[in-house]
Structures are given as C-alpha cells and as structure tokens.
Amino acid sequence: LAKTTQPISMDSYEGQEVNITCSHNNIATNDYITWYQQFPSQGPRFIIQGYKTKVTNEVASLFIPADRKSSTLSLPRVSLSDTAVYYCLVGANAGKSTFGDGTTLTVKP
Amino acid sequence: EAQVTQNPRYLITVTGKKLTVTCSQNMNHEYMSWYRQDPGLGLRQIYYSMNVEVTDKGDVPEGYKVSRKEKRNFPLILESPSPNQTSLYFCASSSKGLTEAFFGQGTRLTVV
C-alpha cells in the first residue's frame, strides 16, 4: 500500500475554499485515491474517490495531476460543521486499507 | 436506510473474559472490515473480509478473531482481552474495498 503524507492540521474561516494536499509518491498503477471525513467519536464518512484528473461531487472536488504522485481535496465555502479530520487513502479498492494520520481541519467563524 | 450496526456501543470488561462485538450491514456488501482507533495512532485495520468465508489479516490482527459465515455479519472476537485492547472499534462495509465504505457508530471497549 502506498504511504501517504498530509499536513497534520489546517485552519480556515467560514466561507473560504480549503485545499488539502496528499502526497503518495509510491502510488501503483491500479491504486485509487479516496478521501474520508471523520468527526470525533464517529466512524469515517466517504467523501470522494478518483483515479486521475478531476472528480467532483456535491460536497468536494478531487484534483489528481498526471503523475498521480499527489492529490488535492478541495472543499468549497467551508462552514463550521466542516471542522473534522480528513484522511487520504491510496489503494486498489480491495482488501487491505491503511488510514494515515489525517489532517485536522479547523474552521473558524 | 443503509447502515452498519455495531453492538454493543460501550463495553467495560475484565482481562481474560471472552467477548464478541457484532457488526451487521443491510446493504448486501461483499467487503467488510474492522478497525481500531487509538489517540495518536489513527485508524488501524484489524481484519477484513472480501466475501463469505473469506477473511484476511490487516495491520494489527494479534489478539483478535473474526468470522464471516453470512454476508451481512462480521463479528469481532476477543478470546482473552487485555488492557492494551482498550480502544474505539469501527466496523465498515462496502461493495468493494475503499470505495464508499460505510462505517458503524463505533464500539468503545475498556478492558480492566
């Protein structure tokens, strides 16, 4: 499984766009990039998954450059309720899955 | 409503007393997995199952057992719990691995 590196923490203000970058230099050809959100004492919640270029859904966008060695989760116009830990995972959509340390995002009023 | 249900939500037990944490999903998912979460260590995978009767070790399987006799259930068994298994446990299911996994509410286990 590819190792991922994310910033430990980030601060933002309500209404701003937040971009969280994840590095995964050893990503394999058949690996996908998946992001989860976790609130304290709750299970992680799936946000988005992508393989290359850009993926967008109703809550976020995921940008993946051509070399796929990094990815950026973009949260548009964050609110206080987006304060959480965000995890980047890289794997082949099967079997073992390793969560890294995650990025603690704090949104301030 | 799609959900993953864990029981119990909270449990305090004594060292050596066998216990089982149940996990059930209603989405007909083939893939299920157990994680433990400890402060400063993030989520670590204990065991996973790709389908009925197919299970495999995650990163921290020592001291745990699982079984997958039917698709909807994936119980986690601690044959002889020890204090270092005090943790917050999560069960997850998905149609395929990391894709859109649904997590349970968590089970907070304390072994004294």
Side-chain angles (χ1 to χ4, degrees):
Chain A
L1 291 171
K3 178 176 167 52
T4 60
T5 302
Q6 305 172 233
I8 293 174
S9 64
M10 294 181 68
D11 289 343
S12 183
Y13 290 92
E14 283 190 292
Q16 289 188 332
E17 178 184 74
V18 171
N19 295 311
I20 306 174
T21 298
C22 180
S23 297
H24 28 81
N25 291 320
N26 296 322
I27 190 169
T29 303
N30 57 347
D31 283 346
Y32 285 77
I33 299 152
T34 311
W35 286 81
Y36 282 85
Q37 174 194 56
Q38 186 180 29
F39 298 112
S41 297
Q42 293 186 26
R45 183 176 74 100
F46 172 84
I47 301 174
I48 198 166
Q49 184 183 71
Y51 183 80
K52 61 180 179 181
T53 62
K54 177 184 173 182
V55 180
T56 297
N57 61 23
E58 61 276 8
V59 298
S61 295
L62 179 59
F63 298 91
I64 306 167
D67 66 6
R68 304 203 323 127
K69 292 185 183 301
S70 66
S71 58
T72 300
L73 174 72
S74 181
L75 305 171
R77 297 180 300 282
V78 294
S79 64
L80 296 176
S81 63
D82 292 316
T83 293
V85 179
Y86 292 82
Y87 293 97
C88 163
L89 284 79
V90 173
N93 263 345
K96 258 189 166 182
S97 62
T98 299
F99 284 75
D101 294 331
T103 298
T104 299
L105 172 66
T106 302
V107 179
K108 302 175 182 177
Chain B
E1 179 190 354
Q3 59 185 4
V4 176
T5 303
Q6 294 178 226
N7 280 297
R9 293 288 313 277
Y10 303 91
L11 178 62
I12 301 174
T13 190
V14 296
T15 299
K17 185 177 181 182
K18 181 180 178 180
L19 67 91
T20 299
V21 184
T22 63
C23 175
S24 180
Q25 50 96 2
N26 63 359
M27 295 164 281
N28 201 36
H29 284 161
E30 293 183 346
Y31 178 87
M32 296 186 75
S33 183
W34 275 103
Y35 299 85
R36 62 178 289 174
Q37 187 167 35
D38 304 290
L41 292 176
L43 282 144
R44 294 180 292 169
Q45 191 179 40
I46 303 171
Y47 270 95
Y48 63 93
S49 169
M50 301 295 287
N51 212 327
V52 176
E53 302 291 1
V54 180
T55 63
D56 210 343
K57 297 176 181 178
D59 294 320
V60 289
E62 295 78 20
Y64 303 94
K65 285 175 57 177
V66 292
S67 69
R68 189 88 183 275
K69 293 185 170 59
E70 48 190 344
K71 206 172 196 179
R72 65 181 292 122
N73 296 321
F74 190 44
L76 179 69
I77 303 156
L78 286 73
E79 295 268 2
S80 183
S82 62
N84 64 12
Q85 292 179 297
T86 292
S87 187
L88 179 58
Y89 291 86
F90 290 104
C91 177
S93 77
S94 74
S95 57
K96 187 168 60 173
L98 300 174
T99 302
E100 279 190 78
F102 289 80
F103 281 77
Q105 325 93 299
T107 295
R108 191 168 292 280
L109 172 66
T110 302
V111 183
V112 297

